[in-house]
Amino acid sequence: MYWTLELASKLEDAPWPATKEELIDYAIRSGAPLEVIENLQEIEDEGDVYESIEEIWPDYPSKEDFFFDEEEY
């Protein structure tokens, strides 16, 4: 399983919180690339409910990671 920013961004608008099956269904319905669906299928499922993409891919950058001070420019 590998995630890239482009692949993970396909799940940004997913109906969080969601189970693995709900995320797979969303990815299929939204036309996400096959890699996204394959990555979701590889998650070890114990019936967990995921609150956000960060629970699936902890390295997903948050909005704060892109924040910059406009007054500096």
Side-chain angles (χ1 to χ4, degrees):
M1 174 170 55
Y2 70 94
W3 287 100
T4 65
L5 184 55
E6 181 181 356
L7 291 177
S9 69
K10 302 296 183 188
L11 295 176
E12 259 186 6
D13 295 328
W16 302 104
T19 63
K20 173 184 169 180
E21 295 304 318
E22 290 171 334
L23 291 172
I24 291 171
D25 181 58
Y26 171 79
I28 292 169
R29 287 184 294 109
S30 66
L34 183 59
E35 291 89 349
V36 173
I37 298 164
E38 290 172 349
N39 285 346
L40 291 170
Q41 289 172 336
E42 289 182 26
I43 295 172
E44 292 184 23
D45 188 21
E46 297 175 6
D48 296 333
V49 174
Y50 301 97
E51 296 294 325
S52 66
I53 186 65
E54 288 87 3
E55 289 187 20
I56 295 171
W57 187 41
D59 294 333
Y60 187 75
S62 66
K63 291 186 186 338
E64 290 81 34
D65 292 335
F66 296 108
F67 179 75
F68 64 95
D69 189 1
E70 291 179 3
E71 293 177 10
E72 290 182 15
Y73 299 98

